[in-house]
Amino acid sequence: MTTWVLALPLAMIFVNPLPFPAWARLWMLLPLVACVAAVYRATRVRHVREMPRATVFTFINIVVGMGLIALAFYVVTEVVRRWH
Amino acid sequence: MPARKSTSADTTTRSIQAGLAAWVIPGAGHFVLGHRGLAIVFFVAITFPYTVGLALGGVANFANPRVNKWLFLAELPVGGYTVPAYMASRSVERDLQRRAQRGEEIDVRDYYAYFPASDVAQIYLATAGLLNILAILDAIARAQTGGLPTFHRQLQPSAQEGADG
């Protein structure tokens, strides 16, 4: 039962975790947001040709929204740090 | 009347087929229904985060319900990927146990991801699973409405007319 799964080349790619630099953590947001925007938009269109512009708009919306939320949390953190 | 029954049965069968296909492979539900373009979008946009998440985290911890049952539950909507990943996870687990019993030295960092990779892997995998729920529901909705998306009530009137015609 065990070795045949390990013998699959596709499975082997996932056995040993890939190295991941700490600086890349924040940048990993962008591809994930692109995927979320694409799937979300795909559930709202009749044809795929309606997608590109709407997906870009949703992508920008999410990134800007996340940035604003991060900024708000940063401001709150700074205020709390200075007052205590 | 019999024709109507047959149509309803066809719709139900198509919905089940599309839902199951979408569960096995993201986008396959739309492919079955003939929406090839959307199928490619769903396939790429769901397979990419799943693959990246699993590659960063490794199957040993990130497709294992005994380690993180909630993550496994979130991954389950991508059944066609999660089931083989779980089997691979079991294989790795048994292999590590056997090697430990033989007294071999094992560096766990070769098999388990740690912060920050583990965080990113978890977020990517869970998001891929949840996105495929949307894909499954959309495939079922399109099977039932003859091609209209999940949120077809919010479509522009012109698009609605086009769909009805």
Side-chain angles (χ1 to χ4, degrees), chain A residues 5-26:
Chain A
V5 174
L6 284 176
L8 293 172
L10 193 65
M12 281 306 293
I13 298 168
F14 305 109
V15 170
N16 305 116
L18 293 177
F20 182 75
W23 59 262
R25 191 164 64 118
L26 200 58

Side-chain angles (χ1 to χ4, degrees), chain B residues 4-63:
Chain B
R4 213 171 154 185
K5 265 185 190 170
S6 140
T7 308
S8 167
D10 284 352
T11 305
T12 308
T13 309
R14 240 191 1 254
S15 303
I16 293 169
Q17 278 175 347
L20 278 176
W23 179 73
V24 174
I25 298 173
H30 292 81
F31 192 84
V32 165
L33 296 172
H35 302 287
R36 304 279 159 87
L38 288 174
I40 292 168
V41 170
F42 280 117
F43 179 76
V44 172
I46 293 168
T47 301
F48 173 75
Y50 196 96
T51 311
V52 170
L54 208 57
L56 287 177
V59 286
N61 263 0
F62 285 85

Side-chain angles (χ1 to χ4, degrees), chain A residues 1-6 11 13-22 24-25 27-32 34-36 38-48 50-51, chain B residues 37 41-42 45 48-49 51-52 54-59 87-88 91-92 94 98 110-111 113 115-117 120 123-124 127 138 142 148-151 154-155 159 162-163:
Chain A
M1 168 69 195
T2 55
T3 45
W4 72 270
V5 174
L6 284 176
I13 298 168
F14 305 109
V15 170
N16 305 116
L18 293 177
F20 182 75
R25 191 164 64 118
W27 293 108
M28 293 300 281
L29 171 78
L30 297 178
L32 190 63
C35 292
V36 170
V39 170
Y40 176 72
R41 276 296 153 197
T43 61
R44 286 180 171 259
V45 296
R46 287 198 65 223
H47 302 288
V48 75
E50 300 164 26
M51 275 193 64
Chain B
V41 170
F42 280 117
F48 173 75
T51 311
V52 170
L54 208 57
L56 287 177
V59 286
M87 289 160 77
S91 296
V92 172
R94 284 179 190 157
R98 266 205 307 271
D110 288 343
Y111 299 92
F115 181 85
V120 174
I123 291 165
Y124 266 60
T127 305
D138 190 64
R142 285 179 198 268
L148 289 172
T150 316
F151 301 102
Q154 296 168 18
L155 285 176

Side-chain angles (χ1 to χ4, degrees), chain B residues 117-152:
Chain B
S118 58
D119 268 23
V120 174
Q122 190 164 325
I123 291 165
Y124 266 60
L125 284 166
T127 305
L130 300 177
L131 287 178
N132 205 40
I133 293 178
L134 280 181
I136 293 168
L137 292 177
D138 190 64
I140 293 171
R142 285 179 198 268
Q144 289 179 342
T145 59
L148 289 172
T150 316
F151 301 102
H152 63 274

